[in-house]
Amino acid sequence: MGSQRKVPAPPPLPLLLLLLLCTGPAWPDQAAYSRESSAGTTLISGQGLINLGQRWGSKSPLMHTRANLTEVTSIKSSFEFRTLDPEGVVFYGDTRGGADWFVLALRGGRPEMQIGKADVLTTVTGGPKLDDGMWHKIELRSEGRFVVLELDGEVALVVGLHSQQTQADLSGQIRLSLGGILITEQRLLNPLRMEMDGCVRAGTWLNLSTPWETDLSQELQPCFTWISKGSYFPGTGLAIFNSSDFPVDRSEVSIEMEGYDVSTWNGTVLSLKTSQGEPVLTVTAYNETEEFTVKFGTQTSTVKMEPFHLDLNLTKHALEVSDGPIMEDDTHDWLSMWNEGMVLAFGGVPDGTDDGSSPYLHGCLRLIRIQGQVVDLDRATYKHNSVSSHSCPRMRLPGVHAMPVVGSYMY
Ligand SMILES: *[C@@H]1O[C@H](CO)[C@@H](O)[C@H](O)[C@H]1NC(C)=O
Ligand SMILES: *[C@@H]1O[C@H](CO)[C@@H](O)[C@H](O)[C@H]1NC(C)=O
Ligand SMILES: *[C@@H]1O[C@H](CO)[C@@H](O)[C@H](O)[C@H]1NC(C)=O
Ligand SMILES: *[C@@H]1O[C@H](CO)[C@@H](O)[C@H](O)[C@H]1NC(C)=O
Ligand SMILES: *[C@@H]1O[C@H](CO)[C@@H](O)[C@H](O)[C@H]1NC(C)=O
Ligand SMILES: *[C@@H]1O[C@H](CO)[C@@H](O)[C@H](O)[C@H]1NC(C)=O
């Protein structure tokens, strides 16, 4: 078959995002760029297994690299990618210090390419869903005025762009980044939730051998060998929301949490504090006894674990726990407090408890729902880096852990 393959004509310009290339009068932030020192950064290979889950709250990419355009010998990048996260940034590239840029992201689980070049912005979303927890091969290449995205060997998306204002230019540098972008979010045509809980491996980036730089202060998260849907708390951190993000207009707030095996949960699953920091509710799992301790106001109850879920209803003056007691507390109107904004945390108690009785959760929450709506930890106001928002490690052994990878599992 190889003999039938046409020898591709040499590309007019040796660059992946050929169409990004153009002459401009200035390199907008080249000064800032060259000031960047390698102090405080560490160099890693772009070919290894890389978890794109980035520092929470940091808008900068997980890692980046750069090269002189004259060094670029290939117009193609390829890598394998695995995620259960429907939205986030995978790969970014730019020239002219960010004046011309390219973003590969996921939206609704499908690939999306956004391009900004001179005065033109374009975006295209489509192709098969990628957020199925399987490894997929992705190839990006430039073909004249088009960028082609191939998924598992099939062309999935093509985007073309032409601007009269642009001219080809071989000078200057190209920058690449993973898990984030190097320009401000405002410049995207279609705003995007940047955080991506996904892994990349076997990357070849424009055939560059340059190592990538990553921030030293940041601990790279591991990629689990096998994953299943859910939010994973390894026992070292929590995620915080403002309860008013989930406004209630009924007579109760319902909070539902599901697990593949609730009896493995250990630590504080959920907590609620007033905006003044007074504890309202703490639910702590003990896997040795397979019980939850529920503290609501001044009362404490013990609730036997159900195998797959924990449901709570907070009403004006009471808390109801699935297959547990109804705990009453009429010192406040809890629904009004909820709507005004309390500190709602999954996986621990913000700032801890006085008696240290609230260790961080170790366990996988398969699904969290408030008022029937699925809670996405990527939308938290704070999330510890160790918490994976969309993937839990999964044992491959048969038995209680061998659940299907994706959400088809029903209990
Ligand atoms: C890239 O180009 C700059 C000047 O344009 C030069 O100083 C530098 O050595 C080049 N880097 C490499 C790796 O060739
Ligand atoms: C990639 O780089 C290697 C060595 O750095 C070189 O031998 C090979 O020809 C390059 N491939 C392309 C497509 O440029
Ligand atoms: C109980 O939780 C701990 C973490 O706190 C974990 O290491 C252990 O495997 C769990 N035990 C069971 C039986 O799930
Ligand atoms: C579960 O967490 C408790 C603290 O709440 C800890 O004392 C206990 O050792 C943990 N269990 C296991 C099996 O690690
Ligand atoms: C919460 O309220 C809903 C609707 O009233 C009910 O179906 C559900 O069983 C309640 N759950 C608990 C834990 O009380
Ligand atoms: C929670 O949101 C409300 C508005 O809905 C706001 O008034 C309050 O300050 C927020 N609380 C925190 C801790 O951010």
Side-chain angles (χ1 to χ4, degrees):
M1 293 307 262
S3 58
Q4 290 174 6
R5 205 175 287 146
K6 269 191 269 171
V7 177
L13 287 172
L15 174 65
L16 157 75
L17 308 165
L18 194 55
L19 61 98
L20 295 183
L21 253 186
C22 56
T23 308
W27 287 64
D29 60 1
Q30 197 177 28
Y33 190 51
S34 54
R35 258 204 317 275
E36 261 181 43
S37 77
S38 43
T41 64
T42 186
L43 298 177
I44 55 174
S45 157
Q47 286 157 23
L49 182 60
I50 302 155
N51 186 334
L52 301 183
Q54 61 173 341
R55 275 165 306 177
W56 186 258
S58 164
K59 295 296 174 197
S60 56
L62 176 76
M63 51 199 269
H64 61 95
T65 191
R66 71 189 94 162
N68 289 345
L69 286 172
T70 48
E71 298 163 42
V72 174
T73 58
S74 166
I75 52 164
K76 191 168 84 176
S77 288
S78 66
F79 55 97
E80 292 178 39
F81 179 61
R82 181 194 69 181
T83 193
L84 288 162
D85 186 349
E87 186 168 335
V89 171
V90 181
F91 174 67
Y92 167 91
D94 71 26
T95 55
R96 298 207 295 138
D100 296 337
W101 51 266
F102 168 90
V103 177
L104 172 67
L106 241 55
R107 186 187 306 271
R110 296 181 201 281
E112 174 170 286
M113 296 197 275
Q114 296 198 37
I115 302 174
K117 178 180 156 93
D119 57 334
V120 184
L121 295 176
T122 184
T123 180
V124 57
T125 313
K129 288 187 90 164
L130 283 183
D131 58 339
D132 58 0
M134 307 291 180
W135 284 103
H136 292 281
K137 188 159 169 41
I138 297 187
E139 186 182 293
L140 275 168
R141 62 173 186 271
S142 193
E143 289 183 358
R145 289 171 181 171
F146 299 89
V147 176
V148 178
L149 175 76
E150 254 185 35
L151 294 179
D152 302 317
E154 306 255 337
V155 172
L157 279 183
V158 178
V159 57
L161 181 60
H162 179 64
S163 166
Q164 295 293 348
Q165 291 187 15
T166 62
Q167 292 173 307
D169 177 17
L170 267 178
S171 66
Q173 286 186 311
I174 181 165
R175 304 189 296 183
L176 304 178
S177 69
L178 288 175
I181 62 178
L182 295 166
I183 50 172
T184 58
E185 284 172 79
Q186 289 71 31
R187 292 183 52 200
L188 297 182
L189 178 58
N190 201 359
L192 192 68
R193 189 84 213 168
M194 299 283 156
E195 289 76 16
M196 170 51 75
D197 177 8
C199 288
V200 158
R201 69 180 182 194
T204 57
W205 313 99
L206 304 175
N207 204 25
L208 295 172
S209 52
T210 341
W212 293 63
E213 284 180 37
T214 187
D215 196 326
L216 262 187
S217 63
Q218 152 178 32
E219 209 179 295
L220 293 176
Q221 296 300 321
C223 287
F224 308 124
T225 311
W226 302 95
I227 55 173
S228 47
K229 249 187 184 167
S231 298
Y232 181 61
F233 295 80
T236 44
L238 45 65
I240 301 177
F241 290 86
N242 186 336
S243 64
S244 68
D245 297 344
F246 310 98
V248 52
D249 55 6
R250 296 198 304 229
S251 58
E252 84 267 328
V253 183
S254 86
I255 305 172
E256 299 161 273
M257 286 161 288
E258 294 178 9
Y260 293 97
D261 181 2
V262 169
S263 71
T264 60
W265 293 356
N266 199 36
T268 297
V269 182
L270 172 125
S271 70
L272 198 54
K273 277 184 166 182
T274 64
S275 50
Q276 285 77 42
E278 286 147 36
V280 174
L281 168 66
T282 312
V283 181
T284 306
Y286 294 91
N287 66 7
E288 276 130 356
T289 54
E290 301 198 4
E291 284 170 346
F292 292 109
T293 298
V294 181
K295 289 186 189 163
F296 180 56
T298 55
Q299 307 170 59
T300 302
S301 294
T302 300
V303 179
K304 199 75 198 148
M305 282 176 175
E306 289 277 318
F308 303 120
H309 66 110
L310 168 66
D311 298 338
L312 305 168
N313 278 350
L314 181 66
T315 63
K316 199 170 172 180
H317 295 305
L319 177 78
E320 299 169 18
V321 185
S322 49
D323 294 302
I326 295 180
M327 299 164 81
E328 291 184 20
D329 182 334
D330 58 10
T331 56
H332 295 84
D333 176 343
W334 297 112
L335 293 186
S336 305
M337 301 271 289
W338 176 278
N339 281 338
E340 280 158 26
M342 290 196 280
V343 182
L344 170 67
F346 293 97
V349 179
D351 306 322
T353 43
D354 295 341
D355 59 0
S357 64
S358 296
Y360 291 126
L361 174 66
H362 183 277
C364 170
L365 301 189
R366 191 179 89 86
L367 193 65
I368 306 171
R369 265 191 300 244
I370 298 181
Q371 306 293 75
Q373 301 286 307
V374 174
V375 175
D376 180 350
L377 294 196
D378 280 347
R379 299 190 181 272
T381 53
Y382 164 83
K383 182 181 76 63
H384 191 265
N385 290 327
S386 65
V387 178
S388 329
S389 46
H390 291 87
S391 58
C392 291
R394 180 175 60 110
M395 308 279 188
R396 211 191 162 201
L397 298 171
V400 75
H401 298 290
M403 301 301 177
V405 192
V406 214
S408 54
Y409 172 65
M410 301 294 286
Y411 58 84

